Amino acid sequence: MSKVYAQASVSLDGFIAGPNGTGFDRLFAWCTAGTVETPTSQPDRLTYRTNAATAAYLRDLLEGTGALVIGRRLFDATNGWNGSHPLGKPVFVVTHEPPTDWVDTDTPYTFVTDGIASAIAQAQSAAGTLDVGVGPGTTVVQALDAGLLTELRLDLVPVTLGSGTPMLEGLTTQHTFADPRTIAGIGVTHLIYDI
């Protein structure tokens, strides 16, 4: 059965971004810390270089993901990856108001105005038997609180950022997870929690 997962690089103090959107160089240093290459659908734009264990973890995500759900803040911050998401998968953007000036190019973007449950349902339809990735940010919190996630993947990076954007800010319900599966990378420990 396909999964609905959230995956994000997170600092030891729980942030997915530092103050004023900084810290990404530190949070994502693990993506190029090794010698084993894992290309995305756009290898000239994004090819991971990690150890063998992280490469297998990434291949599982890249090959197993059929669609993505993100929030409007991430879409705006990346300018929709200039119309071409590096994973080359359909992207469903949860928003109160779709942009009026967006012109889609390579990646199919769908702007969903009726909430996270609708966005995930539409993404599952598009993904078929493949998994759906959610987040990061508030979309993860919304999906977790709504009981829609089946897996939480944290790429725990041994840095602290002091402040910024917390990974799970705004949760309204309590959650208990079993012990995670762990994968040791270079400069990262991948924690996979089944929900």
Side-chain angles (χ1 to χ4, degrees):
M1 182 173 171
S2 63
K3 298 178 284 198
V4 177
Y5 71 87
Q7 182 261 338
S9 289
V10 62
S11 65
L12 288 175
D13 51 351
F15 296 101
I16 58 171
N20 302 313
T22 61
F24 296 114
D25 55 333
R26 298 173 69 203
L27 286 172
F28 293 99
W30 65 268
C31 296
T32 57
T35 58
V36 180
E37 292 190 353
T38 306
T40 64
S41 66
Q42 299 175 25
D44 292 342
R45 189 168 159 198
L46 178 59
T47 294
Y48 295 95
R49 289 174 182 80
T50 63
N51 68 358
T54 293
Y57 166 81
L58 291 170
R59 276 192 304 276
D60 177 55
L61 280 176
L62 294 171
E63 294 169 3
T65 300
L68 302 167
V69 175
I70 66 168
R72 178 66 185 269
R73 189 177 340 180
L74 180 59
F75 176 83
D76 287 345
T78 62
N79 191 34
W81 293 272
N82 296 316
S84 183
H85 191 281
L87 298 188
K89 309 293 182 174
V91 178
F92 296 80
V93 182
V94 180
T95 183
H96 296 292
E97 188 171 323
T100 57
D101 58 348
W102 177 252
V103 177
D104 198 13
T105 54
D106 296 330
T107 300
Y109 286 87
T110 302
F111 297 94
V112 181
T113 59
D114 53 346
I116 190 71
S118 176
I120 289 175
Q122 291 178 55
Q124 287 176 310
S125 179
T129 60
L130 296 177
D131 299 335
V132 171
V134 177
T138 58
T139 54
V140 174
V141 171
Q142 292 169 12
L144 187 56
D145 272 345
L148 300 172
L149 290 182
T150 59
E151 188 175 85
L152 179 63
R153 291 177 172 232
L154 301 177
D155 302 323
L156 188 62
V157 181
V159 301
T160 58
L161 299 176
S163 64
T165 305
M167 172 65 187
L168 297 174
E169 181 177 36
L171 280 175
T172 60
T173 57
Q174 296 182 1
H175 303 273
T176 302
F177 303 96
D179 291 337
R181 297 183 308 275
T182 60
I183 299 168
I186 300 170
V188 65
T189 301
H190 307 287
L191 305 171
I192 306 167
Y193 294 92
D194 293 320
I195 299 174

